[in-house]
């Protein structure tokens, strides 16, 4: 296992669209393990491969209280979304220390492959539904701050750039 580096907004690599995984093999399984370790270490409840500069359709999620129920979604596909919306306060490992409310469908159904290449489907609500939509956005090259006003986005972008510069200056 090894920790991966999480890319921070507004890095242009976050806007790259992920390609489908052709085959779930040992390489993909290692990526899943490394992503899970990175997510748990952060700590976070979800991580998309795009966030660690791997541009393949892989997501790891664990919304359990004890962080012991890892879910893996390879080539996830949104099958259905409820017309009812719900607002959740979202955060992102790629936008550290920033949280804001985002409206999303309250319930979703997603089809994907697991870490063994087996197809499954899950219907989710609550935090899992939010997390799935948030991470699937990453695979499409979209960061949650894009749901916010231009003013908020610009403010976040400036803060993140300043923070990155401070890290470099202090290095």
């Amino acid at each position: 296992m090894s920790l991966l580096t999480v890319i921070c907004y507004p890095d242009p690599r976050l806007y790259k669209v992920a390609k489908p995984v052709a085959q779930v093999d040992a390489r993909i399984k290692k990526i899943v393990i490394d992503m899970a370790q990175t997510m748990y270490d952060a700590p976070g409840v979800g991580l998309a491969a795009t966030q660690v500069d791997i541009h393949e359709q892989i997501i790891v999620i664990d919304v359990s209280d004890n962080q012991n129920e890892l879910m893996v979604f390879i080539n996830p596909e949104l099958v259905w979304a409820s017309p009812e919306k719900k607002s959740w306060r979202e955060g992102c490992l790629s936008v550290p220390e920033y949280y804001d409310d985002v409206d999303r469908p309250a319930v979703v159904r997603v089809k994907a492959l697991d870490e063994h290449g087996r197809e499954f489907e899950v219907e989710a609500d609550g935090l899992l539904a939010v997390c799935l939509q948030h991470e699937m956005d990453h695979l499409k090259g979209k960061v949650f701050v894009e749901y916010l006003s231009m003013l908020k986005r610009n403010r976040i972008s400036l803060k993140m750039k300043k923070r990155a510069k401070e890290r470099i200056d202090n290095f």
Side-chain angles (χ1 to χ4, degrees):
M1 288 187 280
S2 58
L3 291 179
L4 304 169
T5 302
V6 177
I7 300 168
C8 286
Y9 178 81
D11 191 305
R13 294 174 290 178
L14 287 170
Y15 299 105
K16 194 170 179 181
V17 176
K19 292 180 172 32
V21 170
Q23 179 181 349
V24 179
D25 55 16
R27 181 184 70 83
I28 296 299
K29 289 177 184 179
K30 172 151 181 17
I31 290 170
V32 166
I33 291 167
D34 291 346
M35 284 177 60
Q37 183 62 42
T38 301
M39 176 189 70
Y40 288 131
D41 188 69
V45 295
L47 185 67
T50 302
Q51 294 176 269
V52 290
D53 204 19
I54 297 170
H55 302 283
E56 295 181 79
Q57 294 180 9
I58 306 167
I59 293 170
V60 294
I61 293 175
D62 190 339
V63 295
S64 67
D65 290 337
N66 297 322
Q67 292 213 300
N68 60 353
E69 297 176 23
L70 181 68
M71 299 178 79
V72 177
F73 297 83
I74 298 170
N75 299 338
E77 178 186 330
L78 185 66
V79 176
W80 174 83
S82 69
E84 177 196 349
K85 304 276 189 200
K86 183 154 184 175
S87 183
W88 280 80
R89 193 148 188 85
E90 293 187 30
C92 182
L93 296 178
S94 292
V95 191
E97 300 172 26
Y98 187 82
Y99 301 86
D100 212 323
D101 296 328
V102 177
D103 286 338
R104 295 186 185 272
V107 183
V108 294
R109 191 173 308 121
V110 173
K111 179 171 68 169
L113 300 176
D114 67 13
E115 65 273 27
H116 305 291
R118 294 183 298 240
E119 188 175 291
F120 71 100
E121 198 169 293
V122 64
E123 188 166 304
D125 62 1
L127 182 57
L128 180 57
V130 172
C131 199
L132 274 166
Q133 293 172 82
H134 177 110
E135 302 307 339
M136 288 174 70
D137 276 353
H138 277 300
L139 298 181
K140 297 177 205 156
K142 187 172 186 174
V143 182
F144 93 99
V145 297
E146 292 175 51
Y147 290 97
L148 308 178
S149 71
M150 185 63 79
L151 178 66
K152 284 184 178 181
R153 268 185 290 183
N154 288 340
R155 210 177 291 149
I156 295 166
S157 182
L158 287 171
K159 278 184 188 176
M160 297 299 294
K161 286 176 183 175
K162 182 180 177 189
R163 194 176 292 157
K165 184 182 179 332
E166 288 170 355
R167 276 197 304 271
I168 291 168
D169 291 345
N170 294 329
F171 187 64

